[in-house]
Amino acid sequence: MRKVCFVLGFFLLLMSCEKAIEKPKNLIAKDKMIDILYDLSLLEAIKSQNIGGGISNKSANAFIYKKYQIDSTQLSESNKYYATDVEAYKKMFETVKKRLDDEIKKTGGSATITPTPVNPDVPQVQ
């Protein structure tokens, strides 16, 4: 009985493992992907701040596709492929963050977020 449970557990473990994602035929180069992630971060900031009347997801995506001469499938597959290696993907985002911080410093801003002062008259959520 113990052997049957062990064998059954082993097969369930093997079946639960996902297959590694194969490298797409039209994989976006890593440096180009970092540039895309950087631009996507900037566009997301513009959308969240409603700068210049805001920007729609459709126009933001169209800008990325045109600028880098890619399509949505290529971007999606490349992003999925790079995301399978968590450490490498994390390094890509660290590079993006460093570039964003450098741009903030160039404009005379601060790369760190300073908390807003607490108003004692307003109830605070903790």
Side-chain angles (χ1 to χ4, degrees), residues 72-88:
S72 60
T73 305
Q74 187 179 8
L75 178 60
S76 176
E77 288 176 354
S78 295
N79 191 48
K80 197 181 296 184
Y81 175 77
Y82 285 120
T84 57
D85 184 356
V86 177
E87 288 303 314

Side-chain angles (χ1 to χ4, degrees), residues 11 20 40 81-83 97-98 103 108 110 112 117 120 124-126:
F11 282 116
L40 287 171
Y81 175 77
Y82 285 120
K97 183 181 181 319
K98 184 180 180 327
E103 284 298 316
S110 173
T112 58
Q124 302 297 313
V125 177
Q126 295 180 352

Side-chain angles (χ1 to χ4, degrees), residues 54-107:
I55 186 169
S56 68
N57 281 336
K58 185 177 179 180
S59 60
N61 291 341
F63 171 78
I64 294 294
Y65 302 148
K66 184 176 179 180
K67 180 177 179 181
Y68 294 100
Q69 300 174 346
I70 59 172
D71 60 23
S72 60
T73 305
Q74 187 179 8
L75 178 60
S76 176
E77 288 176 354
S78 295
N79 191 48
K80 197 181 296 184
Y81 175 77
Y82 285 120
T84 57
D85 184 356
V86 177
E87 288 303 314
Y89 200 54
K90 183 179 174 184
K91 287 179 184 176
M92 290 171 69
F93 275 99
E94 288 170 355
T95 303
V96 169
K97 183 181 181 319
K98 184 180 180 327
R99 283 179 63 186
L100 290 169
D101 290 344
D102 290 345
E103 284 298 316
I104 290 170
K105 288 176 186 174
K106 281 182 192 176
T107 61

Side-chain angles (χ1 to χ4, degrees), residues 6-55:
F6 177 75
V7 171
L8 183 62
F10 180 74
F11 282 116
L12 287 175
L13 180 65
L14 284 178
M15 293 177 72
S16 67
C17 296
E18 291 186 37
K19 291 182 180 178
I21 294 178
E22 292 181 23
K23 185 176 180 177
K25 293 177 186 174
N26 56 355
L27 181 68
I28 298 170
K30 193 175 215 175
D31 291 339
K32 187 175 181 179
M33 190 68 184
I34 290 171
D35 292 340
I36 292 170
L37 293 172
Y38 173 78
D39 283 347
L40 287 171
S41 297
L42 291 176
L43 290 168
E44 190 61 38
I46 291 169
K47 286 190 292 187
S48 70
Q49 296 296 317
N50 203 18
I51 297 171
I55 186 169

